[in-house]
Amino acid sequence: MLGKVSFGVGAGEILGVMGESGSGKSTLASALLRLLPANGRITGGEILLEGSDVLRMDALELRRIRGGAVSIIFQEPSLALHPTIRIGEQVVEVLRAHGASSKRERSERAREILAKVFSRDVERMFSSYPHELSGGQQQRAMIAQAIACDPALVVADEPTASLDPTTQREILTLFQSLRDQLGIAFVFITHNPMLLAGFADRVLVLYAGKVAEVGPAEAVLFSPQHPYTQALLQCVPPLDYGGSARAQRGLLPVIAGAAPSLALLSQGCVFEPRCEKRMDVCQMSDPVAAKVGSGHEVSCLKFPA
């Protein structure tokens, strides 16, 4: 279950969404494209895409915008790609579904798209099956499908989670290049704050289906104000962690307790049971967003709204 989540993404902007497992990140990604499972419902609000409310669209309109105006990149490409269809044909299928004209033109366009995400061996990638590619190459193929129809927004749901650090950085560089070349906006979902530094323009911190903090990436990552954001970032090992005294003792910082069930949220601040800075009022009142800087908002009762 998500709470009242409210945010915007500007043209060509990279918005990083971070939080623990179970905080509602993937649910948010699915909700943006109305891809929730059968037992999921959106009970209010609006999702505006270039002025049109996605929640009011019928099935035909949804089919038109999905993969067209807005695309999604899933976490595990080996599961998202069709195992018996060549990569080039999978990109061609996206173009065909959105009205690209002749078969020859679709094939040429697919090669052009693959050339944007692969620096070499485009023909080999076009003719390969998913199992013939590495994890990073499979993810690039997924990105090619996502950008095939020049979307305004791409939602990337933990696209680097299964990749090694070097390949992760290559994928982030690719996203930035596509943003600069094509003007695409990205919602980049991750549980790893280290990926967002120097990459995202703004960062939204999600906890138990609610926005804890949102603001410029530098402010949120290096001057966090919400106790949850502070605790989350303290759990990230520093670069010299391996040689530190704490590492020698085998200790890593952790946030006490466990994230609450999104189906059984109680009154008051959802982070209160785990918060080292909790106050009595936190058990009774729900925090509202308070402005703490330029474009920087925090939902915490320490800050008056």
mmCIF file of all heavy atoms in Angstrom, residues 215-267:
data_model
loop_
_atom_site.group_PDB
_atom_site.id
_atom_site.type_symbol
_atom_site.label_atom_id
_atom_site.label_comp_id
_atom_site.label_asym_id
_atom_site.label_seq_id
_atom_site.Cartn_x
_atom_site.Cartn_y
_atom_site.Cartn_z
ATOM 1 N N GLY A 215 14.190 16.257 -2.425
ATOM 2 C CA GLY A 215 14.893 17.512 -2.662
ATOM 3 C C GLY A 215 16.049 17.315 -3.609
ATOM 4 O O GLY A 215 16.262 16.222 -4.154
ATOM 5 N N PRO A 216 16.846 18.360 -3.822
ATOM 6 C CA PRO A 216 18.030 18.235 -4.664
ATOM 7 C C PRO A 216 18.934 17.122 -4.172
ATOM 8 O O PRO A 216 19.086 16.928 -2.957
ATOM 9 C CB PRO A 216 18.694 19.608 -4.533
ATOM 10 C CG PRO A 216 17.583 20.538 -4.135
ATOM 11 C CD PRO A 216 16.667 19.725 -3.295
ATOM 12 N N ALA A 217 19.532 16.378 -5.102
ATOM 13 C CA ALA A 217 20.323 15.204 -4.720
ATOM 14 C C ALA A 217 21.417 15.552 -3.724
ATOM 15 O O ALA A 217 21.629 14.828 -2.746
ATOM 16 C CB ALA A 217 20.924 14.558 -5.973
ATOM 17 N N GLU A 218 22.108 16.633 -3.947
ATOM 18 C CA GLU A 218 23.208 16.997 -3.055
ATOM 19 C C GLU A 218 22.709 17.251 -1.644
ATOM 20 O O GLU A 218 23.332 16.838 -0.662
ATOM 21 C CB GLU A 218 23.931 18.232 -3.594
ATOM 22 C CG GLU A 218 25.170 18.609 -2.788
ATOM 23 C CD GLU A 218 25.979 19.727 -3.417
ATOM 24 O OE1 GLU A 218 25.660 20.134 -4.560
ATOM 25 O OE2 GLU A 218 26.933 20.192 -2.784
ATOM 26 N N ALA A 219 21.557 17.928 -1.519
ATOM 27 C CA ALA A 219 21.008 18.224 -0.198
ATOM 28 C C ALA A 219 20.559 16.956 0.528
ATOM 29 O O ALA A 219 20.856 16.752 1.710
ATOM 30 C CB ALA A 219 19.843 19.199 -0.328
ATOM 31 N N VAL A 220 19.835 16.088 -0.192
ATOM 32 C CA VAL A 220 19.299 14.888 0.447
ATOM 33 C C VAL A 220 20.409 13.903 0.813
ATOM 34 O O VAL A 220 20.393 13.302 1.892
ATOM 35 C CB VAL A 220 18.257 14.208 -0.466
ATOM 36 C CG1 VAL A 220 17.796 12.875 0.130
ATOM 37 C CG2 VAL A 220 17.066 15.127 -0.692
ATOM 38 N N LEU A 221 21.393 13.742 -0.062
ATOM 39 C CA LEU A 221 22.423 12.729 0.155
ATOM 40 C C LEU A 221 23.533 13.191 1.096
ATOM 41 O O LEU A 221 24.137 12.375 1.798
ATOM 42 C CB LEU A 221 23.039 12.312 -1.189
ATOM 43 C CG LEU A 221 22.084 11.620 -2.172
ATOM 44 C CD1 LEU A 221 22.787 11.374 -3.503
ATOM 45 C CD2 LEU A 221 21.557 10.315 -1.597
ATOM 46 N N PHE A 222 23.798 14.502 1.144
ATOM 47 C CA PHE A 222 24.914 14.983 1.942
ATOM 48 C C PHE A 222 24.495 15.836 3.131
ATOM 49 O O PHE A 222 25.295 16.054 4.048
ATOM 50 C CB PHE A 222 25.901 15.760 1.061
ATOM 51 C CG PHE A 222 26.518 14.908 -0.022
ATOM 52 C CD1 PHE A 222 26.072 14.994 -1.328
ATOM 53 C CD2 PHE A 222 27.510 13.988 0.280
ATOM 54 C CE1 PHE A 222 26.617 14.190 -2.329
ATOM 55 C CE2 PHE A 222 28.057 13.183 -0.701
ATOM 56 C CZ PHE A 222 27.617 13.278 -2.007
ATOM 57 N N SER A 223 23.235 16.286 3.146
ATOM 58 C CA SER A 223 22.706 17.013 4.299
ATOM 59 C C SER A 223 21.283 16.543 4.596
ATOM 60 O O SER A 223 20.340 17.342 4.632
ATOM 61 C CB SER A 223 22.722 18.524 4.051
ATOM 62 O OG SER A 223 24.026 18.994 3.835
ATOM 63 N N PRO A 224 21.091 15.240 4.810
ATOM 64 C CA PRO A 224 19.727 14.717 5.027
ATOM 65 C C PRO A 224 19.129 15.269 6.311
ATOM 66 O O PRO A 224 19.833 15.451 7.313
ATOM 67 C CB PRO A 224 19.948 13.207 5.121
ATOM 68 C CG PRO A 224 21.364 13.056 5.599
ATOM 69 C CD PRO A 224 22.126 14.191 4.975
ATOM 70 N N GLN A 225 17.815 15.500 6.283
ATOM 71 C CA GLN A 225 17.139 16.076 7.443
ATOM 72 C C GLN A 225 16.200 15.088 8.127
ATOM 73 O O GLN A 225 15.983 15.183 9.334
ATOM 74 C CB GLN A 225 16.347 17.324 7.006
ATOM 75 C CG GLN A 225 17.212 18.434 6.440
ATOM 76 C CD GLN A 225 18.227 18.942 7.439
ATOM 77 O OE1 GLN A 225 17.881 19.324 8.566
ATOM 78 N NE2 GLN A 225 19.502 18.942 7.056
ATOM 79 N N HIS A 226 15.641 14.148 7.395
ATOM 80 C CA HIS A 226 14.716 13.184 8.008
ATOM 81 C C HIS A 226 15.519 12.107 8.743
ATOM 82 O O HIS A 226 16.524 11.612 8.219
ATOM 83 C CB HIS A 226 13.847 12.539 6.937
ATOM 84 C CG HIS A 226 12.651 11.830 7.492
ATOM 85 N ND1 HIS A 226 12.737 10.592 8.105
ATOM 86 C CD2 HIS A 226 11.345 12.189 7.536
ATOM 87 C CE1 HIS A 226 11.531 10.217 8.503
ATOM 88 N NE2 HIS A 226 10.666 11.168 8.159
ATOM 89 N N PRO A 227 15.105 11.725 9.942
ATOM 90 C CA PRO A 227 15.834 10.679 10.678
ATOM 91 C C PRO A 227 15.997 9.381 9.903
ATOM 92 O O PRO A 227 17.015 8.696 10.040
ATOM 93 C CB PRO A 227 14.983 10.474 11.935
ATOM 94 C CG PRO A 227 14.292 11.795 12.133
ATOM 95 C CD PRO A 227 14.015 12.311 10.745
ATOM 96 N N TYR A 228 15.006 9.036 9.065
ATOM 97 C CA TYR A 228 15.133 7.808 8.278
ATOM 98 C C TYR A 228 16.212 7.948 7.220
ATOM 99 O O TYR A 228 17.026 7.036 7.029
ATOM 100 C CB TYR A 228 13.801 7.457 7.624
ATOM 101 C CG TYR A 228 13.909 6.284 6.671
ATOM 102 C CD1 TYR A 228 14.254 5.014 7.137
ATOM 103 C CD2 TYR A 228 13.701 6.439 5.299
ATOM 104 C CE1 TYR A 228 14.373 3.933 6.273
ATOM 105 C CE2 TYR A 228 13.805 5.370 4.436
ATOM 106 C CZ TYR A 228 14.153 4.117 4.925
ATOM 107 O OH TYR A 228 14.278 3.056 4.072
ATOM 108 N N THR A 229 16.219 9.058 6.510
ATOM 109 C CA THR A 229 17.260 9.281 5.510
ATOM 110 C C THR A 229 18.635 9.262 6.160
ATOM 111 O O THR A 229 19.584 8.663 5.631
ATOM 112 C CB THR A 229 17.043 10.625 4.792
ATOM 113 O OG1 THR A 229 15.690 10.741 4.375
ATOM 114 C CG2 THR A 229 17.953 10.741 3.580
ATOM 115 N N GLN A 230 18.764 9.906 7.309
ATOM 116 C CA GLN A 230 20.042 9.925 8.022
ATOM 117 C C GLN A 230 20.474 8.512 8.398
ATOM 118 O O GLN A 230 21.627 8.120 8.181
ATOM 119 C CB GLN A 230 19.915 10.794 9.285
ATOM 120 C CG GLN A 230 19.685 12.271 8.986
ATOM 121 C CD GLN A 230 19.333 13.075 10.227
ATOM 122 O OE1 GLN A 230 19.100 12.509 11.313
ATOM 123 N NE2 GLN A 230 19.282 14.387 10.089
ATOM 124 N N ALA A 231 19.541 7.728 8.937
ATOM 125 C CA ALA A 231 19.871 6.357 9.342
ATOM 126 C C ALA A 231 20.217 5.493 8.133
ATOM 127 O O ALA A 231 21.137 4.671 8.191
ATOM 128 C CB ALA A 231 18.689 5.752 10.103
ATOM 129 N N LEU A 232 19.492 5.693 7.037
ATOM 130 C CA LEU A 232 19.739 4.912 5.825
ATOM 131 C C LEU A 232 21.140 5.175 5.276
ATOM 132 O O LEU A 232 21.871 4.243 4.922
ATOM 133 C CB LEU A 232 18.685 5.260 4.778
ATOM 134 C CG LEU A 232 18.525 4.329 3.570
ATOM 135 C CD1 LEU A 232 18.051 2.956 4.021
ATOM 136 C CD2 LEU A 232 17.532 4.938 2.584
ATOM 137 N N LEU A 233 21.536 6.429 5.250
ATOM 138 C CA LEU A 233 22.845 6.784 4.708
ATOM 139 C C LEU A 233 23.981 6.361 5.633
ATOM 140 O O LEU A 233 25.093 6.089 5.181
ATOM 141 C CB LEU A 233 22.900 8.291 4.438
ATOM 142 C CG LEU A 233 21.961 8.768 3.319
ATOM 143 C CD1 LEU A 233 21.965 10.287 3.232
ATOM 144 C CD2 LEU A 233 22.362 8.163 1.986
ATOM 145 N N GLN A 234 23.711 6.295 6.936
ATOM 146 C CA GLN A 234 24.735 5.836 7.865
ATOM 147 C C GLN A 234 25.048 4.356 7.681
ATOM 148 O O GLN A 234 26.110 3.884 8.087
ATOM 149 C CB GLN A 234 24.292 6.093 9.312
ATOM 150 C CG GLN A 234 24.337 7.559 9.705
ATOM 151 C CD GLN A 234 23.692 7.833 11.050
ATOM 152 O OE1 GLN A 234 23.198 6.911 11.720
ATOM 153 N NE2 GLN A 234 23.678 9.086 11.455
ATOM 154 N N CYS A 235 24.133 3.626 7.057
ATOM 155 C CA CYS A 235 24.343 2.195 6.821
ATOM 156 C C CYS A 235 25.210 1.929 5.591
ATOM 157 O O CYS A 235 25.555 0.773 5.331
ATOM 158 C CB CYS A 235 23.002 1.488 6.643
ATOM 159 S SG CYS A 235 21.944 1.507 8.112
ATOM 160 N N VAL A 236 25.536 2.972 4.834
ATOM 161 C CA VAL A 236 26.365 2.806 3.641
ATOM 162 C C VAL A 236 27.831 2.789 4.062
ATOM 163 O O VAL A 236 28.320 3.751 4.645
ATOM 164 C CB VAL A 236 26.127 3.951 2.641
ATOM 165 C CG1 VAL A 236 27.048 3.795 1.428
ATOM 166 C CG2 VAL A 236 24.674 3.989 2.214
ATOM 167 N N PRO A 237 28.571 1.707 3.804
ATOM 168 C CA PRO A 237 29.976 1.650 4.207
ATOM 169 C C PRO A 237 30.800 2.699 3.468
ATOM 170 O O PRO A 237 30.631 2.885 2.259
ATOM 171 C CB PRO A 237 30.419 0.239 3.792
ATOM 172 C CG PRO A 237 29.154 -0.533 3.591
ATOM 173 C CD PRO A 237 28.129 0.458 3.160
ATOM 174 N N PRO A 238 31.689 3.429 4.159
ATOM 175 C CA PRO A 238 32.570 4.363 3.473
ATOM 176 C C PRO A 238 33.574 3.619 2.609
ATOM 177 O O PRO A 238 33.755 2.404 2.745
ATOM 178 C CB PRO A 238 33.261 5.105 4.629
ATOM 179 C CG PRO A 238 33.193 4.152 5.775
ATOM 180 C CD PRO A 238 31.905 3.400 5.612
ATOM 181 N N LEU A 239 34.233 4.356 1.720
ATOM 182 C CA LEU A 239 35.158 3.721 0.793
ATOM 183 C C LEU A 239 36.309 3.036 1.513
ATOM 184 O O LEU A 239 36.867 2.059 1.028
ATOM 185 C CB LEU A 239 35.708 4.764 -0.190
ATOM 186 C CG LEU A 239 34.681 5.343 -1.167
ATOM 187 C CD1 LEU A 239 35.336 6.393 -2.048
ATOM 188 C CD2 LEU A 239 34.065 4.248 -2.017
ATOM 189 N N ASP A 240 36.689 3.549 2.691
ATOM 190 C CA ASP A 240 37.802 2.955 3.444
ATOM 191 C C ASP A 240 37.324 1.993 4.513
ATOM 192 O O ASP A 240 38.059 1.635 5.424
ATOM 193 C CB ASP A 240 38.651 4.052 4.096
ATOM 194 C CG ASP A 240 37.845 4.883 5.106
ATOM 195 O OD1 ASP A 240 36.604 4.757 5.125
ATOM 196 O OD2 ASP A 240 38.460 5.656 5.859
ATOM 197 N N TYR A 241 36.060 1.516 4.370
ATOM 198 C CA TYR A 241 35.471 0.678 5.417
ATOM 199 C C TYR A 241 36.266 -0.599 5.662
ATOM 200 O O TYR A 241 36.435 -1.035 6.791
ATOM 201 C CB TYR A 241 34.030 0.319 5.045
ATOM 202 C CG TYR A 241 33.359 -0.599 6.041
ATOM 203 C CD1 TYR A 241 32.871 -0.098 7.237
ATOM 204 C CD2 TYR A 241 33.233 -1.972 5.796
ATOM 205 C CE1 TYR A 241 32.270 -0.929 8.162
ATOM 206 C CE2 TYR A 241 32.635 -2.809 6.714
ATOM 207 C CZ TYR A 241 32.158 -2.290 7.892
ATOM 208 O OH TYR A 241 31.573 -3.105 8.803
ATOM 209 N N GLY A 242 36.816 -1.193 4.606
ATOM 210 C CA GLY A 242 37.502 -2.474 4.750
ATOM 211 C C GLY A 242 38.673 -2.438 5.717
ATOM 212 O O GLY A 242 38.995 -3.433 6.359
ATOM 213 N N GLY A 243 39.313 -1.279 5.843
ATOM 214 C CA GLY A 243 40.456 -1.192 6.738
ATOM 215 C C GLY A 243 40.153 -0.531 8.068
ATOM 216 O O GLY A 243 41.054 -0.304 8.878
ATOM 217 N N SER A 244 38.880 -0.210 8.319
ATOM 218 C CA SER A 244 38.521 0.484 9.549
ATOM 219 C C SER A 244 38.426 -0.479 10.723
ATOM 220 O O SER A 244 38.307 -1.698 10.562
ATOM 221 C CB SER A 244 37.172 1.198 9.372
ATOM 222 O OG SER A 244 36.130 0.249 9.232
ATOM 223 N N ALA A 245 38.472 0.101 11.928
ATOM 224 C CA ALA A 245 38.367 -0.715 13.140
ATOM 225 C C ALA A 245 37.005 -1.395 13.223
ATOM 226 O O ALA A 245 36.889 -2.543 13.643
ATOM 227 C CB ALA A 245 38.591 0.175 14.368
ATOM 228 N N ARG A 246 35.960 -0.695 12.783
ATOM 229 C CA ARG A 246 34.619 -1.285 12.809
ATOM 230 C C ARG A 246 34.564 -2.515 11.901
ATOM 231 O O ARG A 246 33.982 -3.544 12.243
ATOM 232 C CB ARG A 246 33.580 -0.247 12.360
ATOM 233 C CG ARG A 246 32.151 -0.784 12.354
ATOM 234 C CD ARG A 246 31.203 0.251 11.802
ATOM 235 N NE ARG A 246 30.973 1.323 12.757
ATOM 236 C CZ ARG A 246 29.990 1.314 13.665
ATOM 237 N NH1 ARG A 246 29.166 0.280 13.730
ATOM 238 N NH2 ARG A 246 29.817 2.305 14.486
ATOM 239 N N ALA A 247 35.201 -2.396 10.734
ATOM 240 C CA ALA A 247 35.209 -3.527 9.813
ATOM 241 C C ALA A 247 35.969 -4.703 10.398
ATOM 242 O O ALA A 247 35.593 -5.859 10.205
ATOM 243 C CB ALA A 247 35.820 -3.108 8.479
ATOM 244 N N GLN A 248 37.057 -4.418 11.123
ATOM 245 C CA GLN A 248 37.833 -5.498 11.723
ATOM 246 C C GLN A 248 36.996 -6.271 12.730
ATOM 247 O O GLN A 248 37.215 -7.461 12.964
ATOM 248 C CB GLN A 248 39.096 -4.920 12.399
ATOM 249 C CG GLN A 248 40.034 -4.184 11.437
ATOM 250 C CD GLN A 248 40.533 -5.065 10.310
ATOM 251 O OE1 GLN A 248 40.783 -6.259 10.495
ATOM 252 N NE2 GLN A 248 40.647 -4.493 9.114
ATOM 253 N N ARG A 249 36.040 -5.587 13.352
ATOM 254 C CA ARG A 249 35.152 -6.249 14.324
ATOM 255 C C ARG A 249 33.945 -6.882 13.630
ATOM 256 O O ARG A 249 33.110 -7.501 14.290
ATOM 257 C CB ARG A 249 34.661 -5.240 15.367
ATOM 258 C CG ARG A 249 35.790 -4.627 16.214
ATOM 259 C CD ARG A 249 35.226 -3.937 17.445
ATOM 260 N NE ARG A 249 34.292 -2.875 17.108
ATOM 261 C CZ ARG A 249 34.637 -1.603 16.902
ATOM 262 N NH1 ARG A 249 35.922 -1.255 16.948
ATOM 263 N NH2 ARG A 249 33.733 -0.690 16.607
ATOM 264 N N GLY A 250 33.847 -6.689 12.322
ATOM 265 C CA GLY A 250 32.742 -7.297 11.579
ATOM 266 C C GLY A 250 31.418 -6.612 11.786
ATOM 267 O O GLY A 250 30.373 -7.242 11.658
ATOM 268 N N LEU A 251 31.419 -5.299 12.101
ATOM 269 C CA LEU A 251 30.190 -4.588 12.408
ATOM 270 C C LEU A 251 29.802 -3.648 11.280
ATOM 271 O O LEU A 251 30.651 -2.958 10.705
ATOM 272 C CB LEU A 251 30.352 -3.773 13.701
ATOM 273 C CG LEU A 251 30.698 -4.561 14.965
ATOM 274 C CD1 LEU A 251 30.915 -3.608 16.126
ATOM 275 C CD2 LEU A 251 29.557 -5.527 15.297
ATOM 276 N N LEU A 252 28.535 -3.620 10.958
ATOM 277 C CA LEU A 252 27.968 -2.664 10.021
ATOM 278 C C LEU A 252 26.827 -1.931 10.710
ATOM 279 O O LEU A 252 26.059 -2.543 11.468
ATOM 280 C CB LEU A 252 27.437 -3.364 8.776
ATOM 281 C CG LEU A 252 28.409 -3.674 7.649
ATOM 282 C CD1 LEU A 252 27.727 -4.548 6.601
ATOM 283 C CD2 LEU A 252 28.912 -2.396 7.001
ATOM 284 N N PRO A 253 26.688 -0.629 10.491
ATOM 285 C CA PRO A 253 25.544 0.079 11.070
ATOM 286 C C PRO A 253 24.238 -0.485 10.516
ATOM 287 O O PRO A 253 24.168 -0.853 9.341
ATOM 288 C CB PRO A 253 25.756 1.526 10.612
ATOM 289 C CG PRO A 253 27.179 1.610 10.199
ATOM 290 C CD PRO A 253 27.562 0.252 9.708
ATOM 291 N N VAL A 254 23.227 -0.553 11.344
ATOM 292 C CA VAL A 254 21.909 -1.035 10.913
ATOM 293 C C VAL A 254 20.836 -0.139 11.514
ATOM 294 O O VAL A 254 21.067 0.553 12.511
ATOM 295 C CB VAL A 254 21.652 -2.498 11.353
ATOM 296 C CG1 VAL A 254 22.639 -3.439 10.710
ATOM 297 C CG2 VAL A 254 21.707 -2.623 12.876
ATOM 298 N N ILE A 255 19.668 -0.146 10.892
ATOM 299 C CA ILE A 255 18.501 0.526 11.459
ATOM 300 C C ILE A 255 17.753 -0.494 12.298
ATOM 301 O O ILE A 255 17.357 -1.552 11.794
ATOM 302 C CB ILE A 255 17.591 1.084 10.351
ATOM 303 C CG1 ILE A 255 18.378 2.021 9.430
ATOM 304 C CG2 ILE A 255 16.412 1.828 10.963
ATOM 305 C CD1 ILE A 255 17.566 2.528 8.249
ATOM 306 N N ALA A 256 17.563 -0.205 13.554
ATOM 307 C CA ALA A 256 16.908 -1.151 14.460
ATOM 308 C C ALA A 256 15.484 -1.453 13.999
ATOM 309 O O ALA A 256 14.813 -0.610 13.391
ATOM 310 C CB ALA A 256 16.887 -0.576 15.871
ATOM 311 N N GLY A 257 15.033 -2.666 14.295
ATOM 312 C CA GLY A 257 13.675 -3.050 13.947
ATOM 313 C C GLY A 257 13.531 -3.422 12.491
ATOM 314 O O GLY A 257 14.509 -3.641 11.783
ATOM 315 N N ALA A 258 12.292 -3.486 12.039
ATOM 316 C CA ALA A 258 12.001 -3.874 10.657
ATOM 317 C C ALA A 258 10.953 -2.940 10.083
ATOM 318 O O ALA A 258 10.158 -2.336 10.813
ATOM 319 C CB ALA A 258 11.493 -5.320 10.611
ATOM 320 N N ALA A 259 10.962 -2.806 8.770
ATOM 321 C CA ALA A 259 9.963 -1.969 8.108
ATOM 322 C C ALA A 259 8.566 -2.529 8.377
ATOM 323 O O ALA A 259 8.374 -3.745 8.410
ATOM 324 C CB ALA A 259 10.230 -1.910 6.603
ATOM 325 N N PRO A 260 7.580 -1.666 8.581
ATOM 326 C CA PRO A 260 6.226 -2.145 8.897
ATOM 327 C C PRO A 260 5.544 -2.756 7.694
ATOM 328 O O PRO A 260 5.896 -2.486 6.539
ATOM 329 C CB PRO A 260 5.507 -0.866 9.339
ATOM 330 C CG PRO A 260 6.190 0.219 8.574
ATOM 331 C CD PRO A 260 7.635 -0.188 8.492
ATOM 332 N N SER A 261 4.553 -3.601 7.964
ATOM 333 C CA SER A 261 3.711 -4.120 6.893
ATOM 334 C C SER A 261 2.886 -2.974 6.321
ATOM 335 O O SER A 261 2.257 -2.207 7.070
ATOM 336 C CB SER A 261 2.780 -5.212 7.427
ATOM 337 O OG SER A 261 1.768 -5.504 6.490
ATOM 338 N N LEU A 262 2.872 -2.834 5.004
ATOM 339 C CA LEU A 262 2.119 -1.746 4.383
ATOM 340 C C LEU A 262 0.618 -1.965 4.485
ATOM 341 O O LEU A 262 -0.170 -1.066 4.191
ATOM 342 C CB LEU A 262 2.539 -1.602 2.919
ATOM 343 C CG LEU A 262 4.017 -1.286 2.677
ATOM 344 C CD1 LEU A 262 4.263 -1.008 1.195
ATOM 345 C CD2 LEU A 262 4.474 -0.099 3.514
ATOM 346 N N ALA A 263 0.199 -3.161 4.898
ATOM 347 C CA ALA A 263 -1.227 -3.443 5.051
ATOM 348 C C ALA A 263 -1.717 -3.144 6.462
ATOM 349 O O ALA A 263 -2.922 -3.141 6.714
ATOM 350 C CB ALA A 263 -1.514 -4.899 4.709
ATOM 351 N N LEU A 264 -0.785 -2.890 7.384
ATOM 352 C CA LEU A 264 -1.165 -2.727 8.801
ATOM 353 C C LEU A 264 -0.508 -1.498 9.402
ATOM 354 O O LEU A 264 0.124 -1.563 10.457
ATOM 355 C CB LEU A 264 -0.767 -3.976 9.608
ATOM 356 C CG LEU A 264 -1.402 -5.296 9.189
ATOM 357 C CD1 LEU A 264 -0.747 -6.466 9.913
ATOM 358 C CD2 LEU A 264 -2.908 -5.274 9.468
ATOM 359 N N LEU A 265 -0.632 -0.356 8.731
ATOM 360 C CA LEU A 265 -0.022 0.868 9.238
ATOM 361 C C LEU A 265 -0.876 1.451 10.357
ATOM 362 O O LEU A 265 -2.099 1.521 10.257
ATOM 363 C CB LEU A 265 0.138 1.882 8.111
ATOM 364 C CG LEU A 265 1.109 1.477 6.982
ATOM 365 C CD1 LEU A 265 1.187 2.571 5.947
ATOM 366 C CD2 LEU A 265 2.489 1.166 7.538
ATOM 367 N N SER A 266 -0.209 1.873 11.432
ATOM 368 C CA SER A 266 -0.919 2.407 12.595
ATOM 369 C C SER A 266 -0.945 3.932 12.539
ATOM 370 O O SER A 266 -0.366 4.560 11.651
ATOM 371 C CB SER A 266 -0.231 1.941 13.882
ATOM 372 O OG SER A 266 1.124 2.352 13.900
ATOM 373 N N GLN A 267 -1.599 4.528 13.539
ATOM 374 C CA GLN A 267 -1.673 5.986 13.626
ATOM 375 C C GLN A 267 -0.299 6.560 13.944
ATOM 376 O O GLN A 267 0.528 5.934 14.585
ATOM 377 C CB GLN A 267 -2.677 6.380 14.708
ATOM 378 C CG GLN A 267 -2.886 7.883 14.843
ATOM 379 C CD GLN A 267 -3.859 8.228 15.957
ATOM 380 O OE1 GLN A 267 -4.222 7.364 16.747
ATOM 381 N NE2 GLN A 267 -4.275 9.470 16.021
#
